[in-house]
Amino acid sequence: MPDELGLVGQAAPALPEISFPANQHQTCVTLAGNNDAVRAGLKRLMMLEPLAGLSDDARGTFEIVLAEALNNVVEHAYPNAPGPILVGVDHLPPVLRVSVYDLGLPMPDGQLPKGELKPLVEGEELPEGGFGWFLIRTLTLDLEYERDGGFNKLRFAVQAE
């Protein structure tokens, strides 16, 4: 059974405290920055309001974008050991406004990746990865990143209607 961080079958690591300013988001979830916790936390988040009441299309888009963003945090911000990830969501029709904060390594050069797809070469197999930032940039509105006081702060909106 998952614990409060979404970890299954293991003790929760000691993580630094991380929080949004009071009353900033309608729904907040804190996760450990590892694959198991992200998978369980995303599943839990999708069952909470405002996400539970969205159309299948809006839920699917949100889940793809957030899964890609969280997986990037695990892989790149916390490559050596998990740290906390804080996700905040507000339903402000017609969009969901999302904030993802972590204390991991900053983005290279302090900038979001361009998310450009590499051209496919005839005869080569489709690569397994490399689509995340393309999907995030394609499916979001108002995408922004900043490094502030040791925090990575990723914010975006997703169509909810």
Side-chain angles (χ1 to χ4, degrees):
M1 167 164 253
D3 67 9
E4 69 277 0
L5 294 172
L7 297 172
V8 180
Q10 55 185 310
L15 298 174
E17 288 295 316
I18 182 172
S19 63
F20 292 120
N23 301 319
Q24 185 175 350
H25 292 286
Q26 176 182 352
T27 302
C28 292
V29 176
T30 302
L31 312 169
N34 68 55
N35 291 327
D36 290 338
V38 163
R39 198 167 14 267
L42 186 57
K43 184 177 178 181
R44 182 180 61 212
L45 187 59
M46 296 305 294
M47 293 185 288
L48 300 175
E49 290 299 330
L51 303 169
L54 297 177
S55 71
D56 289 344
D57 285 346
R59 284 173 50 86
T61 298
F62 175 84
E63 191 169 12
I64 288 168
V65 170
L66 189 57
E68 289 294 341
L70 294 174
N71 288 332
N72 280 322
V73 172
V74 170
E75 185 175 346
H76 301 291
Y78 295 128
N80 301 316
I85 304 171
L86 185 59
V87 178
V89 182
D90 287 300
H91 188 195
L92 303 169
V95 298
L96 291 169
R97 295 244 171 239
V98 183
S99 297
V100 179
Y101 287 15
D102 69 74
L103 295 168
L105 298 173
M107 292 278 188
D109 300 321
Q111 303 291 316
L112 288 171
K114 290 186 177 168
E116 296 172 342
L117 294 178
K118 295 177 184 163
L120 296 175
V121 177
E122 190 173 331
E124 286 187 5
E125 290 189 28
L126 190 64
E128 188 164 319
F131 300 100
W133 282 106
F134 173 79
L135 288 170
I136 292 169
R137 285 186 175 279
T138 301
L139 298 172
T140 63
L141 308 166
D142 305 327
L143 178 64
E144 59 183 47
Y145 165 78
E146 72 175 319
R147 179 75 175 185
D148 181 27
F151 286 89
N152 291 309
K153 297 179 178 182
L154 180 69
R155 294 183 197 91
F156 57 88
V158 175
Q159 284 296 134
E161 298 180 356

